[in-house]
């Protein structure tokens, strides 16, 4: 995973957490749900990047 991708995913995750916190503080269920969705998407992207990295490691081991 490149450093840029890591930073983008972390920023998206933190934005999701912030939206959830603001939504809870203001009793805004839509904002809480939006934040949860954004955080989940960031986690999925991170998992995809880890899979790509593992694939590269396997490919390099057989080279």
């Amino acid at each position: 995973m490149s450093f840029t991708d890591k930073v983008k995913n972390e920023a998206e995750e933190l934005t999701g957490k912030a939206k959830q916190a603001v939504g809870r503080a203001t009793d805004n269920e839509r904002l809480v749900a939006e934040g949860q969705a954004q955080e989940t998407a960031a986690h999925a992207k991170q998992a995809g990047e880890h899979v790509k990295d593992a694939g590269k490691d396997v490919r390099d081991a057989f080279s």
Side-chain angles (χ1 to χ4, degrees):
M1 175 179 340
S2 74
F3 178 74
T4 306
D5 290 336
K6 243 183 188 177
V7 170
K8 285 180 183 178
N9 291 338
E10 285 294 321
E12 186 172 352
E13 183 179 345
L14 291 174
T15 302
K17 287 182 180 187
K19 281 184 181 180
Q20 289 179 62
V22 170
R24 285 188 188 107
T26 60
D27 285 334
N28 186 336
E29 291 180 20
R30 183 190 59 80
L31 195 55
V32 172
E34 201 175 290
Q36 288 172 337
Q38 192 167 8
E39 187 176 355
T40 300
H43 283 254
K45 287 179 186 177
Q46 289 171 355
E49 292 294 332
H50 289 298
V51 169
K52 283 193 325 190
D53 288 345
K56 288 178 186 176
D57 291 343
V58 169
R59 184 187 68 212
D60 291 344
F62 286 105
S63 296

